[in-house]
């Protein structure tokens, strides 16, 4: 099981406990629009090869200059590096070759982050990639069906505004919260 930090960690912890499965992280960062950071104009993911996913539709609609995209991307790479050191230290990545892998997040809005995660994970050659999220818009799930092997989503509202609108408590987790949650379940089989 791989969680997308930070929001995917508490969701993944509950699933990992229920399945008695090991938990690891897949470090992915959304590249938000400068004027609306919650809307992804792209995403990046750490891995054996760096992956950048561009949301060309959003980039065109928002008329984002290439230099703005590059600057935002550079800041997100720095954050991935910081998180890798803070959350994982020297821990090796969970081996996924030939295994069924569940990627968990707190929800899907545009799908850019999850698409990047799936593309990076494919390089590690799992036998199957399952996406598990509590909430997502139906149209984004249709797009993800093209890259994931299976999707489990509990709720697809007719009107989707934001992931946080579907939670009673959507507070941002601290780094310490993430580290404590990761340590509460097995890291390796």
């Amino acid at each position: 099981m791989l969680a997308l930090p930070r929001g995917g960690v508490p969701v993944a912890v509950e699933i990992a406990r229920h399945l008695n499965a090991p938990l690891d992280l897949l470090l992915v960062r959304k590249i938000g629009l400068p004027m609306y950071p919650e809307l992804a104009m792209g995403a990046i993911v750490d891995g054996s090869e760096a992956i950048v996913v561009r949301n060309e539709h959003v980039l065109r609609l928002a008329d984002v200059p290439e230099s703005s995209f590059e600057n935002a991307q550079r800041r997100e790479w720095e954050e991935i590096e910081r998180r890798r050191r803070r959350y994982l230290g020297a821990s090796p990545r969970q081996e996924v070759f030939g295994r069924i892998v569940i990627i968990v997040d707190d929800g899907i809005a545009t799908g850019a982050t999850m698409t990047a995660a799936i593309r990076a994970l494919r390089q590690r050659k799992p036998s199957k990639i399952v996406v598990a999220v509590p909430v997502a818009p139906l149209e984004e799930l249709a797009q993800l069906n093209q890259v994931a092997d299976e999707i489990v989503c509990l709720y697809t509202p007719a009107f989707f505004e934001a992931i946080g609108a579907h939670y009673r408590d959507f507070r941002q987790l601290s780094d310490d919260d993430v580290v404590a949650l990761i340590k509460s379940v097995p890291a390796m089989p």
Side-chain angles (χ1 to χ4, degrees):
M1 172 139 356
L2 297 173
L4 302 186
R6 297 184 191 164
V9 174
V11 179
V13 163
E14 294 304 318
I15 297 169
R17 286 179 181 151
H18 182 74
L19 297 176
N20 195 29
L23 175 64
D24 199 355
L25 300 179
L26 189 55
L27 297 171
V28 180
R29 294 290 296 167
K30 169 178 44 186
I31 304 171
L33 281 173
M35 61 293 250
Y36 188 57
E38 285 304 307
L39 182 57
M41 61 178 168
I44 57 173
V45 63
D46 189 30
S48 55
E49 290 182 33
I51 298 285
V52 178
V53 174
R54 297 170 58 97
N55 189 335
E56 296 296 344
H57 177 71
V58 170
L59 287 164
R60 275 192 310 277
L61 283 177
D63 195 27
V64 176
E66 186 61 27
S67 61
S68 292
F69 183 84
E70 293 296 325
N71 288 337
Q73 180 181 322
R74 191 171 15 265
R75 284 189 302 274
E76 296 307 335
W77 280 121
E78 290 169 2
E79 180 60 13
I80 279 182
E81 183 59 35
R82 185 196 72 78
R83 286 182 180 201
R84 184 183 322 115
R85 285 190 309 270
R86 176 70 175 102
Y87 299 162
L88 303 173
S91 298
R93 286 192 295 190
Q94 192 176 97
E95 182 55 54
V96 301
F97 180 82
R99 292 182 168 179
I100 296 171
V101 178
I102 303 171
I103 305 175
V104 181
D105 204 357
D106 56 3
I108 293 170
T110 67
T113 304
M114 189 59 75
T115 298
I118 294 166
R119 284 180 54 196
L121 192 56
R122 288 261 182 239
Q123 293 177 359
R124 294 169 62 189
K125 302 198 184 324
S127 65
K128 182 177 185 179
I129 296 175
V130 178
V131 171
V133 293
V135 63
L138 199 52
E139 56 274 7
E140 296 307 329
L141 293 180
Q143 292 296 316
L144 281 175
N145 264 325
Q146 297 175 23
V147 291
D149 298 310
E150 185 177 336
I151 297 175
V152 177
C153 180
L154 301 178
Y155 182 52
T156 55
F159 177 73
F160 188 91
E161 186 176 334
I163 294 168
H166 302 282
Y167 282 81
R168 274 191 219 132
D169 181 359
F170 200 63
R171 284 179 281 175
Q172 177 103 343
L173 294 176
S174 70
D175 286 343
D176 290 339
D177 294 333
V178 171
V179 171
L181 284 165
I182 293 167
K183 288 180 179 178
S184 73
V185 294
M188 300 298 273

